[in-house]
Amino acid sequence: MRREMRFAALREEVDQSAATLSKQLTALEKEGYISRFREYGSSRDKDTVWVMLTATGKSAFDAHLAAIQEMAR
């Protein structure tokens, strides 16, 4: 599992608007599940925002996946 992804690629993957995804990521970041880092380009539109899954986020994801698998049994 990848632990980091460009915001733009994540937005395409989940098929959400930038505003919607940003709002969701803010909630996840507040809980400590993800962190974000801005890599500055020559202008703001050339900046790259990276979204990273934290250790807490990975543990929560694994627990959620295990619970779903258990329900499916």
Side-chain angles (χ1 to χ4, degrees):
M1 174 194 291
R2 268 188 296 190
R3 289 194 179 220
E4 65 182 37
M5 192 174 210
R6 285 181 308 121
F7 178 89
L10 181 58
R11 182 179 45 77
E12 289 175 17
E13 187 71 26
V14 298
D15 193 28
Q16 295 286 317
S17 71
T20 299
L21 179 57
S22 183
K23 188 174 184 178
Q24 292 169 342
L25 292 176
T26 297
L28 291 170
E29 191 171 32
K30 183 177 179 181
E31 295 301 319
Y33 295 143
I34 62 109
S35 62
R36 288 183 272 190
F37 173 79
R38 180 177 296 274
E39 190 173 59
Y40 293 96
S42 58
S43 64
R44 183 155 174 90
D45 64 324
K46 293 184 180 180
D47 289 358
T48 301
V49 175
W50 291 92
V51 180
M52 291 150 279
L53 187 62
T54 64
T56 300
K58 174 77 167 90
S59 293
F61 177 80
D62 290 344
H64 181 73
L65 187 57
I68 291 172
Q69 290 170 337
E70 183 62 30
M71 288 188 318
R73 289 188 196 137

